[in-house]
Amino acid sequence: MRALAQALMPHLIIAPILLPLLTACLLLLLDGRRHRIRGMIGLAAALANLVIAALLLSWAGSGHPTAYGVYLPSNWDMPFGIVLVADRLSALLLLTAAIVALMALLFAVARWHKAGAHFHPLFQIQIMGLNGAFLTGDLFNLFVFFEVMLAASYGLLLHGSGPSRVRTGLHYLAINLVASSLFLIGAALIYGVTGTLNMADIAARIPQVATSDRALLHAGFAVLGVAFLAKAAMWPLNFWLVPAYAAASAPAAAIFALLTKVGVYVLLRFSTLMFSEQAGASAGFGSDWLLWGGTATLAAGAFGMFSTQRPGRLAGFAVIVSSGTLLAVLGLARPELTAGALYYLPSSTLGVAAFFLLAELMERSRSADVAGARAPEDEEDHLPFPLAELELDKDVNLDEDEEMLIGHAIPAATALLGLAFICCTLLVAGLPPLSSFIGKFVLLTALVPGLSADTLHVESLLTWVLPVLIVVSGLCALVALSRVGIRFFWTPVDREAPLLRVVEFVPIALLVTVCIVMSVRAEPVMRYATATAEALYHPAGYIDAVLSARPRPTPTNAERLGLQGPEATP
Amino acid sequence: MEIVLACAIGVLTACGVWLLLRPRTYQVIMGLSLLGYGVNLFIFSMGRLALDSEPVLAPGVPTDLAHYTDPMPQALVLTAIVIGFAMTALFLVVLLAQRGFFGNDHVDGREDAE
């Protein structure tokens, strides 16, 4: 596998962007009613995307910790052209995103992809935006990929239509447009001060920024940070999240669980790259904000879980808890903590994505019952009209092919749903034996020894806030989820057993399986996370690798390269 | 020129933020547009204001930024305009859909009590 990755290497970096883009174009050309063939093409592309991500991961993990793949798509000289960079962190997030995307798509082909004309192209564009945001090495393309990702997410959020989706979609759209404006203001300020948009170049220039300009630079990063924090759902910028994610269709919500991680990724990348110890007077800028903002987010998410009994909204709060944990831990900026966070990030993302998918199945199985006991904010979440029609004449309408695709209803559906719910509860609450427990355990062991400070200073008390909150948030999640579980699974109701399709249950089972594998094979994953964190906190390797990249000689640029800079390496 | 530009950006942004916080969807979309204009002008200003600079390479002019306008903010602004335009169109569609569903133009889909 590594040999294959090595052989494909320079061009493998751009594959995660090109593949979904081309697939989306292809899907647009196909008739929107041919759901089956579109679903197959989409699934094949998502599977290929997973393979590419796995190859990139094996490439990034194989070399010494400072393996950076630098790709110059436009073949320009280094600080000017656009650049893609693949390192361990990008590869890890690419793989996480690819797994979630494949599972969400698998879930969607059972039913949801028929609820609108362009589900599949939008989904591929969403994957492209995510991949691009993880791979890009400059601020300008980060903005572009952010917008690609958001544009697709607007479409996916509205997928299926219906009043609650349109209302929350409007809020989501407005908030993200404002966040994009902030992104532009921040990027422009940074460009105005440093004169470059290349992330490695910015990082190299930060120590030399004049004292008079430093405040402006910090303002730029702060404005930029607000845009990412809104995306990463930091309290108090996260009020849009729960209604929007709960209103979205299940596969869309599952992939939205990744969008918050993009915010976290960018914040991690920026804080380690730009504000490392080499950054002179800017070192450590903003980390206190991350720490306390993340702590507040964690508290808000944990207590928010008590406020609802609807699984979809609970999953939304689980996203906030996961984001809060990650942000707070990244704010402490210690390699061993970041390693734990990098282990926690994929497992919590997979767990929350599985929970979003499961929430839909649970709500559907109890829809007659839930309608009576719904909170005011949960109104209007009946099936939107295209789906309602599909549901009614399902037996009449489907041909044999469709039947094969959908699979058969499995018996003992309630038992399987309950089992999946227990697994998701363990993952979301971070309880043993599943992987997010290991992630939290690593975080807590790294947090607590530093705290064994003897005296009761105010400061040493403050350092206890985070570990205690992490434990308490697990407890809150457990209580809230148990309550919902009892209500959904143990309440006797006279009704038929829920109809559960294999193809809808398989993705949930696979997501949980990945988490189980992550806990069984925790050591190699943890080793990878540790190496990633080590490389992140020594940004010189990243900066050197990017800035020393040379364009390929071509007939048109050979002369210029020969004239201007050092000789181009073939 | 700096004062005029700074005032323009300030007024546009202030109006945009004010409108954004209003309860009607039409006001919100106007606010978003004004905010977008303010941001675009701001990006331009980050490329430094210069009069009579060459926009593209001209013969006989030294090739450094002191003699040319900075092309980077222009590229950024162009991208921002395109994206902003598309997003405004999408927002309009959602706005109309919302009006269709709820029969009013409140951002939350419900009429004010007063």
Side-chain angles (χ1 to χ4, degrees):
Chain A
M1 194 163 169
R2 280 174 189 171
L4 179 63
Q6 191 65 45
L8 293 172
M9 193 37 207
H11 302 289
L12 196 62
I13 300 174
I14 202 170
I17 299 169
L18 280 186
L19 175 81
L21 176 63
L22 294 176
T23 314
C25 297
L26 178 68
L27 287 168
L28 271 178
L29 295 177
L30 288 171
D31 184 357
R33 280 162 297 175
R34 300 173 70 181
H35 296 297
R36 187 167 178 229
I37 187 139
R38 282 181 139 203
M40 286 299 160
I41 293 175
L43 276 178
L47 194 62
N49 182 44
L50 180 63
V51 172
I52 291 169
L55 280 174
L56 270 174
L57 186 89
S58 79
W59 180 84
S62 65
H64 43 95
T66 51
Y68 296 100
V70 183
Y71 192 80
L72 306 174
S74 53
N75 205 31
W76 278 36
D77 296 16
M78 195 33 234
F80 303 115
I82 61 177
V83 59
L84 302 178
V85 186
D87 66 347
R88 285 165 173 266
L89 179 61
S90 328
L92 179 70
L93 281 152
L94 278 178
L95 187 68
T96 311
I99 294 173
V100 172
L102 180 63
M103 296 310 152
L105 195 56
L106 197 60
F107 188 90
V109 294
R111 203 169 85 117
W112 272 107
H113 70 149
K114 292 183 213 147
H118 293 299
F119 177 80
H120 285 293
L122 283 172
F123 200 88
Q124 294 295 328
I125 295 289
Q126 177 81 74
I127 297 177
M128 174 197 161
L130 283 166
N131 288 350
F134 293 142
L135 281 173
T136 182
D138 60 276
L139 219 49
F140 186 59
N141 274 322
L142 187 64
F143 171 70
V144 172
F145 283 120
F146 234 71
E147 287 303 315
V148 168
M149 181 181 92
L150 289 176
S153 78
Y154 303 146
L156 284 179
L157 175 58
L158 293 167
H159 178 72
S161 194
S164 70
R165 288 202 182 98
V166 167
R167 190 182 55 216
T168 54
L170 191 85
H171 299 172
Y172 179 73
L173 203 59
I175 283 162
N176 278 300
L177 288 177
V178 175
S180 298
S181 299
L182 290 177
F183 191 142
L184 281 172
I185 293 174
L189 270 172
I190 292 168
Y191 178 76
V193 173
T194 61
T196 178
L197 284 170
N198 185 301
M199 275 149 50
D201 205 16
I202 296 173
R205 287 180 191 211
I206 280 183
Q208 288 119 43
V209 168
T211 322
S212 56
D213 286 344
R214 198 165 288 278
L216 206 54
L217 181 77
H218 286 179
F221 274 108
V223 173
L224 198 62
V226 171
F228 296 130
L229 287 172
K231 197 68 246 174
M234 186 173 97
W235 187 86
L237 304 171
N238 60 6
F239 294 116
W240 54 273
L241 188 140
V242 174
Y245 282 27
S249 58
I255 203 157
F256 286 179
L258 288 169
L259 299 190
T260 53
K261 300 302 182 288
V262 177
V264 173
Y265 160 80
V266 176
L267 288 163
L268 174 61
R269 175 70 84 199
F270 278 28
S271 60
T272 54
L273 187 62
M274 319 271 182
F275 304 119
S276 63
E277 280 156 23
Q278 285 93 38
S282 295
F285 171 73
S287 49
D288 279 351
W289 283 93
L290 280 186
L291 171 62
W292 294 112
T295 309
T297 313
L298 184 58
F303 294 116
M305 282 196 142
F306 288 132
S307 69
T308 180
Q309 301 215 26
R310 220 186 118 199
R313 294 178 67 85
L314 274 176
F317 283 112
V319 169
I320 293 180
V321 168
S322 161
S323 273
T325 312
L326 288 168
L327 290 175
V329 166
L330 298 183
L332 287 171
R334 279 158 47 191
E336 69 274 18
L337 274 174
T338 305
L342 288 175
Y343 184 93
Y344 176 74
L345 188 151
S347 55
S348 75
T349 312
L350 298 178
V352 170
F355 192 33
F356 268 120
L357 298 180
L358 182 69
E360 142 104 11
L361 294 184
M362 284 169 63
E363 289 184 10
R364 199 195 304 162
S365 73
R366 295 292 291 247
S367 51
D369 179 36
V370 178
R374 207 172 266 150
E377 79 273 14
D378 299 343
E379 62 196 353
E380 300 151 352
D381 62 348
H382 306 291
L383 282 178
F385 42 88
L387 272 180
E389 287 162 18
L390 274 177
E391 283 297 288
L392 285 177
D393 48 14
K394 180 176 57 194
D395 295 328
V396 192
N397 213 9
L398 295 181
D399 56 19
E400 286 178 8
D401 290 343
E402 209 60 76
E403 194 66 62
M404 281 173 65
L405 176 70
I406 279 174
H408 303 286
I410 31 182
T414 315
L416 278 177
L417 276 185
L419 194 62
F421 184 78
I422 291 175
C423 290
C424 285
T425 305
L426 294 181
L427 278 172
V428 168
L431 292 179
L434 291 182
S435 52
S436 54
F437 165 72
I438 301 178
K440 277 195 176 180
F441 188 71
V442 173
L443 292 181
L444 288 175
T445 42
L447 277 170
V448 173
L451 304 173
S452 55
D454 15 283
T455 48
L456 284 175
H457 291 309
V458 180
E459 283 186 18
S460 75
L461 277 180
L462 276 179
T463 45
W464 277 101
V465 170
L466 184 57
V468 167
L469 254 180
I470 289 181
V471 174
V472 169
S473 76
L475 181 69
C476 291
L478 186 65
V479 171
L481 287 167
S482 314
R483 187 175 62 170
V484 171
I486 290 170
R487 208 170 132 251
F488 265 81
F489 294 107
W490 286 355
T491 320
V493 199
D494 288 331
R495 67 195 158 87
E496 296 172 18
L499 197 67
L500 186 60
R501 296 183 184 130
V502 177
V503 77
E504 284 183 315
F505 190 72
V506 163
I508 300 173
L510 284 177
L511 282 171
V512 172
T513 313
V514 173
C515 290
I516 293 174
V517 171
M518 270 185 74
S519 29
V520 175
R521 309 271 301 151
E523 203 212 331
V525 181
M526 200 58 226
R527 215 183 304 129
Y528 185 91
T530 311
T532 310
E534 283 299 321
L536 280 174
Y537 285 98
H538 295 92
Y542 180 98
I543 298 171
D544 290 344
V546 174
L547 290 184
S548 64
R550 292 271 162 262
R552 294 291 176 104
T554 62
T556 46
N557 75 0
E559 187 190 357
R560 184 171 51 84
L561 285 179
L563 279 177
Q564 276 191 351
E567 205 57 51
T569 50
Chain B
M1 190 165 66
E2 284 82 358
I3 286 293
V4 174
L5 188 71
C7 288
I9 295 172
V11 169
L12 279 172
T13 311
C15 295
V17 171
W18 164 256
L19 283 173
L20 199 63
L21 299 174
R22 306 296 300 153
R24 305 277 150 210
T25 48
Y26 185 71
Q27 293 166 319
V28 171
I29 196 172
M30 292 319 274
L32 283 172
S33 305
L34 288 181
L35 196 61
Y37 295 136
V39 169
N40 288 344
L41 283 178
F42 179 78
I43 299 173
F44 255 121
S45 71
M46 280 296 118
R48 307 294 186 269
L49 300 177
L51 286 178
D52 296 335
S53 298
E54 293 283 348
V56 288
L57 289 178
V61 182
T63 50
D64 56 25
L65 264 185
H67 297 85
Y68 290 94
T69 52
D70 192 343
M72 198 64 202
Q74 302 178 17
L76 257 176
V77 166
L78 193 61
T79 316
I81 289 174
V82 171
I83 292 175
F85 187 62
M87 291 307 142
T88 310
L90 179 64
F91 197 89
L92 262 177
V93 173
V94 179
L95 181 158
L96 290 174
Q98 160 125 345
R99 189 170 163 77
F101 274 119
F102 298 106
N104 63 59
D105 63 349
H106 193 275
V107 283
D108 288 334
R110 55 169 178 261
E111 277 299 339
D112 290 332
E114 60 274 344

